[in-house]
Amino acid sequence: MQVQLNKQLISSRLKNVYDGWRNASQNDEYGSIADAEALLLLSGDPAGEDEPVRKGTAFQTWLLGYEFPSTLLLFQKDKLLILCSASKAKFLNQIKEGNPPVPVEILVQAKAKEPPSNALPKFVEAYTSFKRVGSLVKEVCTGKLMTEWEQGVSKADNKPELVDMAPALSAFMAVKDEEEMKCIRTAANLTSTLLVHHIVLKLEMILDKEAKITHEQFATQIEARLGSGEGEVAKGPDMKVWSKGRGLNDVDWASTEFCYSPIIQSRSTTTGYDLRSTAESSSDTIAHKGVFLIAVGMRYKGYCANLGRSIIVDPSKEQEAIYNLLLSMQTEMLREIKDGVSAREVYQRALDIVKKEKPELEKNFVKNAGFGTGVEFRDSAYLLSSKNSKHLKTDMVLNLSLGFSDLLDDNGKKYALHIVDTIRVGADRSTLLTEGAKSTKDTLFFLNPENEIEVEDDRPSKPSKKAPVKPLVNGSPVKNKTVGGKVLRNKTRSAAQEEVLMTAAAKIKDHQQQLHEGLQSAGLAKYSEGASGGGEKEGKTWKRFQSYKGESALPREVESLRISVDRKAQTIVLPVHGFAVPFHINTIKNVSKNDEGDYTYLRINFQTPGQLAGKKDDTPFEDPDSTFIRSVTYRSSDGHRFDTISKQITDLKKEVNKREQQKKEMADVIEQDVLVEIKGRRAHKLPEVFVRPALDGKRLPGEVEIHQNGLRYQSPMGSQKIDVLFTNIKHLFFQPCDKELMVIAHIHLRAPIMIGKKKAHDIQFFREASDVQFDETGNRKRKHRYGDEDEIEMEQQERKRRQMLNKEFKLFAERVAEAASTSMGETLEVDIPFRELSFEGVPFRTNVRLQPTTECLVHLIDPPFLVVTLNEIEIASLERVQFSLKQFDLVLIFKDFTKAPLHINSIPSGQLDDVKNWLDSVDIPLGEGPVNLNWGPIMKTINESPYDFFQQGGWRSFLGGGDADSDADEGSDSESEFEADPEEMQSEESSADASEYDGSDASDDSGSGSGYDDDSDDGDDWEELERKAAKSDSKRAAEAKGARGDSDSDDDRPKKKAPAKPKPNGKSKKR
């Protein structure tokens, strides 16, 4: 379908350009083109992805709606002249239909193989007829058309004087219309949503967990929210983030991208803080204290929005004051920036505020307060600096950037602060388009220095336990960070865990320990020392190819001792020292051709050992003393012949490679035996069913028959059929239509078969539950009934119909299982998914419901289907298991290590316990971790030496399964019972956290107010104080309500009440 240009919009913008040009004077914004007789817009080859958008490209996109590379535009007073290729001319001809303000003439360039046209000379002639032409003199365009253009202009007798029209183009694009504002609002909403609902939360988690991650990795994770990967492993936009945004329901994600890679900076950035938009996230590990600078910009349908934030951990009074100054300054600047104000006045007003509030910071203030933005991310024509006299107009969009650089903290280290937002200029004031995470309660994180000192003292007191990655006390991290008074880290006692859950967790832990021990011993037994894995591929060897059996088989063309290509024998025959030497195509790596002077050189490169070709491992050769020819070069004055030979060799190489690839893909496809039809009685049939994968032709229901040694699906067309032998059936599933739209009988094959031109691992027979053949419009009974009687009857009929469908399909599946068991002599059972154990996840590209069965984990509703046999799974790895994340991933590693692990992504965290319980119940060992692992290199390393892997601890040490969390679990057990040993109690800081969460109420209820913290020196004193405070609370409660119970019962009451108190903490952490 041809691309449709917005003809009316193009005509409207063309009119604006011509009106501004014709009415231009030296003193206004179009002054740069006031004396220009014509305007020339050049466009060569597209710029690279990493290069910023050029002004010429931005103007072309603004005017035409799309970028047209290798296209020249010459604006004349009386017409618009366009030079382009024939394919682009088809699109640009639409401009003529939109009633443009001036006639449009399109000159079409000839195609490569056609004789040259007069289009370019005619365009050059029109250009050189003017004396003064406006152009983008600072832009350099490249490409074939630009080379021809420069050659054509250089030959011309008269060359016009060029003037820079960049300021005028900026003025044309500066004021945004309603369509442009919609795109910018969407870009702003995308940027704000990403900041508030991902970046800030992720940064809090990094600080909270003291995670080791580089600035560059963090930036990459942010970019991945728009999707990542290609092909089958591609992931779409993270809708868990974007769904929380405002007005993002109908976003065209294909038109959404980042303006630049997100910029994350902390005090560990070796290059120092940089407030420019060209800064980059470094490969240094993020610091966990000090100032963090965030900058992110997004582009939607070509239009940009940008914002930047400063987050300070443990800020000093001076830093708080400077940040508050930036907030107040931004509020004041929004009032100052309005229609008619010059860019110079805006910057001067900001500088006056700095001089008034903190004059010593004048030298640290940014040199400009922002710039214009739109299609072009940074339009320097509207730079908010002290030297720019341009006036601002209503509906301009600016990037307001306020900040201070080269500031010094209390330790003499440099830091910077900034606040950046995209704003819209209004008649009386400006309004923010980007927002979020700006107030001090969202950006200032506080540390508790007393707690840090206390932890430092207590850390050596636990020498007997294995040191974790980061210091833990009772399974909780030790630093007390707050955000505007909200505690980020939960250090209070985990008393909310109920005894039943703890018992279940303990059982799972013990069972997992047994499973890991069994897995380790089985691995050591299976992979004896020096032995390779059972499923491993054989080592790489050189294949031998034979082109001809003897000289007599050589083609006649070789007698002329010229290079010849024998497609039949897949051989290239080369003349070498008077002999015709054949080389099989598989011995040739590639061929290249170069023209030098009057001669053409043809170089043929061969496959030889010792080449480091990309990521492939080097292939050994049998005889290491052999001599190899790397390449052969021929010279000829007949360039056309070498062109033909080069193309023939390249085409033959492609054909052979394609054939090899197809052969490799079809390697596991089997040729089934002949189906033996049943005789003597009528075969059992399942009529009116559809099949997946579908057969060619119209979609019509067919019937499935059970024969002596297999099944046959017969299409109503008669000619098409699918045979499946019982010996090739690995699993047979029946999925009822309860809470589903279809009832399914599904067969998973041992080896794939060909259906049409595609290979299939699964064959499915289904019927839709709501069949259109039933009349649901009512009948004569309706006129005698009132109310909902007819609807009730319809619902009853629907339930009966579903029950009949389930009964029919289940009976057929059982008959298939019975016939298969009789035929093969081994039992085949019908497997039914357990919907109550199901969970959601993304095994391929879309989120689906995964349902366990007795032997498998399946998804059977929509293709691609998923069938995973449980007894083929070696271990399951739970990844991204973190308290602050709403989803986690499940990776299933198979016993055949050469098989790629299966990734099931984005499982809701609320189903974590369900997934764990199910995996444990089917005896699959578990591993758990906070981050995703790169399983490609991991499995490659394991396959190289499985014995060494298991010798070094195997999965238990690698994934931390079984007893990896024993330290944390023991700590949490002791917390919940309030019976920690004195050494642990000495380093515990839960009372301080309780006071942070709940204020005075928490101190009263738990009996552990912050005042006791300073007096406690050992565990015994803590217990004594706990009992006294609890007893005191109980007495006060008893006096208020009347005497109730003796002192013993009073002592018990706080212990029962305590588990409920951490609830506010949990809410606080889920922010």
Side-chain angles (χ1 to χ4, degrees), residues 726-931:
F726 292 142
T727 52
N728 197 26
I729 296 178
K730 187 175 183 179
H731 298 292
L732 174 62
F733 302 100
F734 158 66
Q735 180 165 309
C737 55
D738 302 333
K739 299 183 180 178
E740 298 291 355
L741 296 176
M742 60 181 70
V743 59
I744 294 170
H746 187 97
I747 295 171
H748 183 64
L749 304 175
R750 296 182 186 275
I753 62 173
M754 293 299 295
I755 297 179
K757 296 181 180 179
K758 297 180 181 179
K759 70 175 184 178
H761 288 87
D762 299 86
I763 297 175
Q764 184 180 102
F765 308 109
F766 70 95
R767 195 184 298 166
E768 293 175 355
S770 54
D771 204 327
V772 295
Q773 66 184 344
F774 293 95
D775 180 21
E776 296 182 352
T777 58
N779 48 30
R780 289 178 301 172
K781 294 179 183 178
R782 179 179 288 271
K783 63 177 71 171
H784 304 295
R785 294 183 177 181
Y786 303 94
D788 298 275
E789 293 178 10
D790 51 345
E791 293 184 12
I792 294 171
E793 184 179 353
M794 287 166 59
E795 290 175 4
Q796 290 173 347
Q797 290 175 356
E798 175 76 14
R799 280 196 295 270
K800 286 180 182 178
R801 188 162 62 249
R802 285 178 177 266
Q803 289 171 1
M804 289 170 60
L805 283 174
N806 289 342
K807 185 177 179 181
E808 183 182 4
F809 268 70
K810 187 177 182 182
L811 179 62
F812 182 80
E814 288 172 348
R815 283 176 174 168
V816 171
E818 183 181 351
S821 301
T822 305
S823 173
M824 296 187 299
E826 56 185 63
T827 305
L828 176 67
E829 294 183 353
V830 180
D831 222 349
I832 302 175
F834 301 119
R835 189 179 177 87
E836 59 272 21
L837 296 179
S838 66
F839 57 93
E840 293 182 347
V842 184
F844 302 111
R845 292 186 179 180
T846 55
N847 191 44
V848 298
R849 180 177 293 278
L850 301 162
Q851 303 185 76
T853 70
T854 306
E855 299 177 347
C856 302
L857 175 67
V858 300
H859 163 65
L860 308 177
I861 298 298
D862 300 306
F865 307 117
L866 176 71
V867 178
V868 183
T869 307
L870 298 181
N871 60 16
E872 293 178 357
I873 297 173
E874 174 92 348
I875 191 170
S877 173
L878 302 171
E879 299 181 346
R880 293 197 303 124
V881 179
Q882 299 181 32
F883 188 81
S884 57
L885 297 182
K886 294 184 178 180
Q887 295 173 330
F888 70 97
D889 301 334
L890 172 64
V891 181
L892 301 176
I893 298 94
F894 299 97
K895 292 178 180 177
D896 179 5
F897 289 162
T898 59
K899 194 174 179 182
L902 173 68
H903 294 255
I904 301 174
N905 300 323
S906 304
I907 305 172
S909 296
Q911 295 182 302
L912 176 62
D913 291 337
D914 296 337
V915 173
K916 278 186 179 180
N917 290 333
W918 166 67
L919 289 170
D920 185 70
S921 67
V922 293
D923 295 337
I924 294 178
L926 291 173
E928 186 173 325
V931 295

Side-chain angles (χ1 to χ4, degrees), residues 503-517 920 962-963:
T503 305
K507 285 181 180 178
I508 291 176
K509 180 184 159 188
D510 292 339
H511 186 219
Q512 282 297 313
Q513 195 163 345
Q514 294 172 13
L515 291 175
H516 276 271
E517 288 172 359
D920 185 70
D963 60 344

Side-chain angles (χ1 to χ4, degrees), residues 589 603-611 628-632:
K589 184 180 177 184
R603 176 173 175 146
I604 300 172
N605 299 310
F606 296 97
Q607 304 277 9
T608 58
Q611 292 178 334
F628 290 86
I629 300 174
R630 283 275 175 96
S631 63
V632 174

Side-chain angles (χ1 to χ4, degrees), residues 182-194 196-197 239 241-251 253 422 432-436:
K182 283 182 183 177
C183 295
I184 294 175
R185 283 194 205 98
T186 303
N189 289 341
L190 287 166
T191 313
S192 303
T193 301
L194 185 64
V196 175
H197 297 292
M239 297 312 297
V241 174
W242 303 116
S243 60
K244 298 173 184 175
R246 184 164 44 89
L248 302 181
N249 298 328
D250 302 322
V251 169
W253 295 107
T422 304
L432 288 170
L433 295 176
T434 53
E435 56 189 359

